Amino acid sequence: MIQTAQPHSSMRTNLAYQRCINPTCAATYDTGELHTSCPKCGYLLDVSYDWDKAAVPDKLSDFEAMWSQRFNPVRFSGVWRFHELLPFAPQERVVTVGEGQTLLQQADAVGKFVGMNAGQLHLQYEGMNPSGSFKDNGMCAAITHANLLGAKRAACASTGNTSASLALYCSATQLMKAIIFIGSGKISYGKLSQALDYGALTVQIAGDFDDAMIRVREIAQRLGIYLVNSVNPFRLEGQKTIMFRVLEALRWETPDWIVVPGGNLGNSSAFGKAFMELKQLGLIDRVPRLAVINASGADTLYELHERRGVRWNGGHVDLDPIREYNDHMDRHGIKADTLASAIEINRPVNLKKCLRALEFCEGVVRQVSDQEILDAKAKVGAGGFGCEPASAASVAGAKLLRREGVIAPSDRVVCVLTGHELKDPTVTVAYHTTDQEVFQKTLGSRGVTKASHANKAIAVPNELDDIIKAIQLYA
Ligand code: F0G
């Protein structure tokens, strides 16, 4: 336990509590405590609810009534308008900056690229959140919990988006100070600029994300700082609402597939929990299948789940292959390496929760190359809105699963686009550039050989006739 506070009076209700996900342990803890793992057995914790005591609506469409309450900041929020499905804090204490106003778009051009029938591919644009990524869904929940505990400092390790989100919530609410840990040279400028601009204390350590993650856990514990990485179960509660909004946009119909990039595996874990709870509550009949997509340069989940057969197995995870693979990475100095810097992670902290989600949602894991990611990203961009590289792993993964016949052309598929296009303009510009040197330096040196979907700028002399001629030639 790294922090205990006098629980706020309305937290004393045992409607919500924390529970170890290890079924043979299943220890429970008050929501007034912060743990980053179970003190008894070391597994991750869930936030659990005694649903009989909660005011859960009879059907999901009852949440539509919340749309008419948009003047209330709690119901304006795309997270807290589903408060009844994550009731760990009283409504009057929730923190919101207006997160979750995101969009599910039917994307036929991208669907064609993936190999889907018209009307069947949907993109969930989480880059439309205030800090430009899905992280805000979870951050508002973590900051709500931190504030209930009276925390004055909050920390995270990050590949960029968690830190941008934490920095934004701390500066916008002035509730606490943000301290962020980033690996050296591993963060895109879009994300770094946010943390700096929003005033976070930014600690750049020599090492990568996995190194920073180990360090921040140690330091948060030592200094009693509230940790907001996705080992924090409250954050994942907020991320469940991405799936609630997907269902809402599909008029409460369950899609066949949810496809999501996998990094630290918080999102996939949260999605699995969302569907487990909706099923348990009788709010859905059918559960979608889950596809988690790794970058091939950061493919621990793929290696363990698909190659070494590691399964949740009702909570009895075989830990030996995990240890062996970690040792193998240590022995050979294997570090995560992908242009999709947001998911450049080899030691995903939510591995076991993600295995649980994969079991419940009959999930699959795939890996896609940086080339496939960037080609898919260009297709998403050409369809409007755009996304950052890591997000496009979902589209590249859907294409691969279509090719394999795992996804049928008639399936209804939702790819989650986790981050905004402008998070990483360096990679985007390098893909579309006409300058071979720029291409080579940024992409070629990392194994990307071509830019088949590039939209190249045309160079024209500054002469009226030449400009007109060029426009007539191309448009
Ligand atoms: N996509 C984006 C844009 C991300 O920023 C991340 C994670 C992921 C996907 C992977 O999600 O960790 O839930 O599997 N970014 C973290 C960060 C690690 O520090 O911003 P996950």
Side-chain angles (χ1 to χ4, degrees):
M1 182 172 66
I2 68 168
Q3 191 168 359
T4 312
Q6 271 311 99
H8 182 261
S9 59
S10 44
M11 286 173 72
R12 289 211 187 96
T13 161
N14 52 5
L15 158 65
Y17 54 99
Q18 301 181 75
R19 186 172 58 188
C20 176
I21 66 165
N22 176 0
T24 53
C25 172
T28 60
Y29 306 92
D30 195 89
T31 53
E33 301 174 16
L34 178 69
H35 302 282
T36 53
S37 60
C38 176
K40 292 207 174 105
C41 76
Y43 267 54
L44 295 164
L45 298 177
D46 267 338
V47 180
S48 291
Y49 304 97
D50 190 345
W51 292 113
D52 292 341
K53 295 186 181 135
V56 180
D58 294 335
K59 49 188 188 318
L60 282 172
S61 58
D62 289 352
F63 281 107
E64 288 168 23
M66 306 310 172
W67 299 341
S68 64
Q69 295 174 29
R70 288 174 70 83
F71 56 85
N72 173 358
V74 173
R75 296 308 190 178
F76 177 80
S77 164
V79 171
W80 298 117
R81 100 169 158 258
F82 297 101
H83 179 260
E84 287 77 2
L85 295 174
L86 54 152
F88 67 82
Q91 250 190 57
E92 64 278 10
R93 297 292 307 274
V94 307
V95 173
T96 176
V97 301
E99 57 287 318
Q101 311 302 317
T102 62
L103 180 72
L104 185 83
Q105 189 197 43
Q106 184 185 309
D108 282 351
V110 180
K112 195 166 169 213
F113 168 75
V114 169
M116 305 299 301
N117 291 349
Q120 296 308 91
L121 186 87
H122 295 76
L123 301 176
Q124 174 71 10
Y125 282 97
E126 286 301 313
M128 297 173 98
N129 271 293
S131 79
S133 85
F134 75 93
K135 302 287 180 181
D136 297 345
N137 292 284
M139 202 54 69
C140 65
I143 298 297
T144 292
H145 183 245
N147 189 42
L148 285 170
L149 264 55
K152 290 290 161 231
R153 295 183 295 185
C156 68
S158 184
T159 54
N161 281 325
T162 306
S163 51
S165 183
L166 174 62
L168 184 147
Y169 275 85
C170 288
S171 60
T173 65
Q174 296 287 304
L175 287 170
M176 57 199 80
K177 175 80 186 170
I179 305 168
I180 65 159
F181 285 62
I182 55 174
S184 48
K186 291 289 184 180
I187 183 170
S188 74
Y189 264 19
K191 300 170 190 179
L192 179 61
S193 66
Q194 289 181 286
L196 296 173
D197 217 28
Y198 303 156
L201 174 63
T202 304
V203 184
Q204 194 160 14
I205 70 153
D208 64 6
F209 171 82
D210 293 316
D211 300 320
M213 187 69 233
I214 293 168
R215 232 5 131 203
V216 76
R217 287 178 89 158
E218 208 175 295
I219 285 164
Q221 177 138 30
R222 176 87 65 91
L223 301 182
I225 299 172
Y226 189 95
L227 187 67
V228 300
N229 278 104
S230 51
V231 284
N232 177 326
F234 294 90
R235 223 189 83 186
L236 298 196
E237 288 306 286
Q239 286 172 214
K240 292 189 309 194
T241 66
I242 300 171
M243 289 301 104
F244 303 156
R245 294 197 301 275
V246 164
L247 293 176
E248 182 181 54
L250 295 175
R251 301 316 304 258
W252 312 110
E253 281 178 22
T254 305
D256 298 301
W257 285 93
I258 300 290
V259 191
V260 63
N264 231 357
L265 307 180
N267 239 2
S268 43
S269 299
F271 297 174
K273 186 170 190 279
F275 290 117
M276 285 160 67
E277 290 174 349
L278 291 179
K279 191 78 182 16
Q280 183 196 345
L281 290 165
L283 292 169
I284 52 170
D285 303 326
R286 208 167 62 84
V287 172
R289 294 190 68 186
L290 183 66
V292 184
I293 313 299
N294 276 163
S296 52
D299 64 346
T300 297
L301 180 69
Y302 175 77
E303 175 70 30
L304 294 175
H305 188 266
E306 301 293 326
R307 292 215 177 107
R308 303 191 182 210
V310 178
R311 292 291 182 274
W312 172 243
N313 195 21
H316 307 286
V317 180
D318 182 0
L319 300 177
D320 287 342
I322 301 176
R323 279 192 213 105
E324 276 163 27
Y325 188 59
N326 284 340
D327 288 349
H328 166 81
M329 287 193 289
D330 285 342
R331 260 198 323 277
H332 297 278
I334 297 171
K335 294 281 182 190
D337 181 19
T338 167
L339 281 162
S341 58
I343 53 173
E344 193 174 53
I345 297 170
N346 259 354
R347 317 254 171 177
V349 295
N350 285 295
L351 175 65
K352 294 192 188 97
K353 273 189 183 174
C354 178
L355 292 172
R356 181 178 68 174
L358 287 165
E359 180 171 285
F360 185 74
C361 298
E362 242 191 283
V364 296
V365 183
R366 292 292 182 271
Q367 54 161 344
V368 288
S369 67
D370 284 359
Q371 179 75 61
E372 291 170 299
I373 288 174
L374 293 193
D375 289 338
K377 180 179 128 41
K379 280 293 184 184
V380 172
F385 297 103
C387 66
E388 67 166 282
S391 311
S394 61
V395 173
K399 187 174 167 65
L400 173 62
L401 288 163
R402 237 327 276 122
R403 216 163 50 230
E404 291 176 355
V406 177
I407 290 180
S410 56
D411 283 348
R412 198 183 223 188
V413 176
V414 174
C415 292
V416 182
L417 298 182
T418 44
H420 198 281
E421 161 101 53
L422 298 176
K423 289 284 190 173
D424 194 353
T426 311
V427 168
T428 307
V429 171
Y431 186 88
H432 293 289
T433 189
T434 49
D435 184 334
Q436 259 320 103
E437 220 172 283
V438 171
F439 180 89
Q440 190 50 34
K441 184 165 166 264
T442 312
L443 308 183
S445 60
R446 309 281 299 270
V448 173
T449 56
K450 54 189 190 307
S452 313
H453 307 293
N455 175 30
K456 294 189 188 300
I458 44 169
V460 196
N462 188 10
E463 297 293 341
L464 196 60
D465 285 350
D466 289 324
I467 296 169
I468 289 171
K469 219 186 290 167
I471 291 172
Q472 281 171 339
L473 188 63
Y474 291 105

